[in-house]
Amino acid sequence: MKATNPRMSTPTQPIETKILFPWIWRKYLRKYLGIILIALAMMSIDGAALGALSYLIEPMFDDVLVTGDRGAVPMVGLMIFGLFLVRAFAGFGHKVLMARVGQKVNAALQYSLLAHMQRLDNQFFHTNAPGNLIERVRGDTEVTTTLWSQVLVTGGRDFVSIIALFAVAMSVDWLWTLIAFAAVPLLVFPVSLLQRLVRKSSRIAREEAAGIATKLDEIFHGITTIKLNRLEEREEGIFDRILHGFVRARLRSETTQAGIPAMVDIVAGAGFFGVLTYGGYQIIEGQKTVGEFMSFFTAIALLFEPLRRMGRVSGILQASMASIERLYMVFQEHPTIVSPAQPQPLPCPGGQADIVLDNVVMAYDDQPVLNGLSLTARAGQMTALVGPSGAGKSTIFNLLSRLVEPQQGQITLAGVPIEQMALEELRGQFSVVSQDSSLFDETLRDNILLGRTDVSDARLNEILDAAHVNDFLPKLPNGLDSRAGPRGSSLSGGQRQRVAIARALIQDAPILLLDEATSALDAKSEKVVQEALERLAKNRTTLVIAHRLATVREADNIIVMDKGRVVEQGTHDELLAQDGIYSGLYRLQFATEK
């Protein structure tokens, strides 16, 4: 299968809410159904309290203030106080419960998103910048918290409030209610249009935010290059342009969101004008009491406020859905390199297995890398891969561990096609030491053990000696428990390589892959690391990529590659005798070093 470019695409049309909501409910919210139901009950109490308050306004005016019934004053006052007390506890309760649900769901989203991403093909990470992926895991999931903390809380409470207040208004006078809401249907089309604009502008804003994260990642990882080439002002200018793009997109989103409650205010004003004009004459003529009017007026006044919030929440909902849409798109990505349904085990230990590549063709997009490559690495021997940059040497390592797959040809281990092996078993056959070994910002102990707990202190110390890690540990503030720093920045290049070798010794895999493991080191460090590598390679099948031919002179077989093919192979002496490409490379390096 041809290597593809799986960059996450942005849908040309928004993914329908009826798809996104069931997905988020089924995957993350359903397990909190009990808590959500309790919170909804509290929201109902909170919302209904407003209806009860507006209902109590009528007896407060007609039975207490107008008639002057002193005995009713404390009773009505206590009832209103009780309403506020109940509402306070209910409001506090549902906000705390939904905040708990929101944080739990947010954490679950981040965890499952990372877990899913880690299992995607390597090509996915080559075509999607780290900053973009970080923004998905952190930024988009954080935005979705507004869905629980504002949309569900405000929506649930205000929906009940609207029903309760509408019922009170209808009980006072249905015609007044009809007048107050006569202009509401006019909101349907413009609000629908604004919601679509909010969704679109919010999606663009999230993409711009991903651009910010990507640029920051590039700047911080390339800070040395920036300083040495005096690129500070250039990078600041690029970052400023990206920021302005984000600000423009965010302002468009905020503006469209603000438009929805503003339109509700206009409709509310028109409704109040109509009721005051019509109802005022009825009160003057004695057809309605002041208490009835004040009860209705309070209900309508309180009703338009939750309507206004619901309008604002609809905008927030669309902004949240834009982020959920981006998360959903990540989960629609699936790995193509997976274990077979019925894996085939190796017929022998990995250290006794020959590695065979037969007529392998590999290309990234339309760029050919390997062109019918065939080679064999014998079990227990050292096989060196040499040749100019771009010959396809590193691609071979990626193919062996199935980080990528060829378009044609077959790769076998002990006669078993590697695509028929379980991925975990296949990758467990290899230890890799490269020129830029990745270290985590953890202690050296953690970087070497990588979670293993079955290594005794005595065995660990043997490995530290063999990898020459013990040579520099006394110089570190906390010895083996010193932190390596981001990407191992607290260590020198030679120290990082020795930690990587210790890690490989701990893994004790039968096949060793060395990719330019000493190319970036000074002569003194190279000598120490080369000695450690020789210990590591002992009694293992070893494949070595090297530009410095002096480091592979003792290899059992040296394979010379050019343009994705094997052009020469043999021992060091045999290749020198052929007087071909290898001989020319060796003489050139020898003359340069001399």
Side-chain angles (χ1 to χ4, degrees), residues 176 179 269-284 293:
W176 287 3
I179 294 171
F272 275 121
F273 174 78
V275 171
L276 283 170
T277 303
Y278 179 73
Y281 289 123
Q282 287 187 311
I283 294 173
I284 293 171
F293 181 80

Side-chain angles (χ1 to χ4, degrees), residues 54-76:
S54 64
Y55 183 79
L56 288 174
I57 293 296
E58 181 181 346
M60 183 178 71
F61 271 87
D62 290 344
D63 299 340
V64 178
L65 300 180
V66 176
T67 62
D69 185 353
R70 293 178 175 271
V73 171
M75 181 62 67
V76 174

Side-chain angles (χ1 to χ4, degrees), residues 97-119:
L97 290 176
M98 290 310 296
R100 176 181 175 84
V101 171
Q103 292 303 318
K104 291 280 188 180
V105 169
N106 187 39
L109 261 171
Q110 293 189 22
Y111 174 83
S112 59
L113 194 64
L114 176 62
H116 179 77
M117 283 182 175
Q118 287 190 121
R119 286 158 178 78

Side-chain angles (χ1 to χ4, degrees), residues 227-501:
K227 288 180 177 295
L228 292 177
N229 291 279
R230 305 176 304 283
L231 300 175
E232 290 89 348
E233 290 186 6
R234 174 183 179 273
E235 294 302 311
E236 289 160 11
I238 295 173
F239 186 64
D240 185 58
R241 288 195 296 273
I242 297 173
L243 275 178
H244 275 79
F246 170 74
V247 170
R248 285 194 300 269
R250 190 63 182 268
L251 283 176
R252 282 195 296 268
S253 176
E254 295 289 344
T255 301
T256 47
Q257 287 185 55
I260 297 175
M263 297 184 69
V264 173
D265 284 342
I266 295 172
V267 170
F272 275 121
F273 174 78
V275 171
L276 283 170
T277 303
Y278 179 73
Y281 289 123
Q282 287 187 311
I283 294 173
I284 293 171
E285 295 171 0
Q287 297 177 19
K288 293 287 185 180
T289 66
V290 174
E292 287 176 318
F293 181 80
M294 290 305 300
S295 180
F296 179 86
F297 188 88
T298 302
I300 294 299
L302 293 175
L303 192 150
F304 272 107
E305 185 56 31
L307 272 178
R308 189 173 183 274
R309 285 197 299 266
M310 291 282 277
R312 182 174 60 86
V313 162
S314 68
I316 296 174
L317 172 62
Q318 293 303 318
S320 299
M321 295 309 292
S323 286
I324 292 177
E325 184 179 75
R326 282 165 50 86
L327 298 176
Y328 180 80
M329 292 299 295
V330 179
F331 284 109
Q332 298 314 297
E333 301 282 343
H334 298 289
T336 59
I337 300 175
V338 295
S339 296
Q342 295 181 327
Q344 183 175 342
L346 286 177
C348 64
Q352 301 173 18
D354 287 346
I355 301 170
V356 178
L357 282 76
D358 182 21
N359 196 32
V360 173
V361 175
M362 176 69 196
Y364 294 106
D365 293 329
D366 296 324
Q367 298 298 318
V369 181
L370 301 179
N371 300 296
L373 178 74
S374 295
L375 62 84
T376 298
R378 297 293 180 190
Q381 294 186 359
M382 176 182 287
T383 300
L385 304 175
V386 301
S389 297
K393 303 183 295 297
S394 296
T395 298
I396 293 174
F397 283 13
N398 292 335
L399 286 167
L400 290 177
S401 52
R402 288 193 73 199
L403 293 176
V404 294
E405 289 196 315
Q407 286 80 56
Q408 296 179 28
Q410 189 175 66
I411 304 170
T412 60
L413 190 60
V416 178
I418 61 173
E419 69 271 12
Q420 295 181 15
M421 296 178 61
L423 271 179
E424 186 175 356
E425 181 186 8
L426 172 66
R427 291 173 180 169
Q429 304 301 316
F430 302 102
S431 288
V432 181
V433 181
S434 66
Q435 60 182 324
D436 187 23
S437 298
S438 295
L439 298 186
F440 302 103
D441 188 14
E442 300 172 0
T443 67
L444 299 191
R445 185 190 305 275
D446 292 332
N447 271 287
I448 293 170
L449 294 176
L450 295 180
R452 289 187 57 171
T453 58
D454 59 342
V455 181
S456 66
D457 290 342
R459 173 60 180 156
L460 178 59
N461 194 58
E462 289 177 7
I463 288 171
L464 296 177
D465 279 335
H468 291 280
V469 173
N470 274 336
D471 294 353
F472 66 84
L473 281 185
K475 302 175 184 177
L476 301 181
N478 297 306
L480 193 59
D481 292 314
S482 301
R483 298 186 73 88
R487 298 192 172 193
S489 58
S490 296
L491 305 176
S492 68
Q495 290 171 341
R496 285 196 296 271
Q497 291 300 80
R498 282 180 264 179
V499 171
I501 293 168

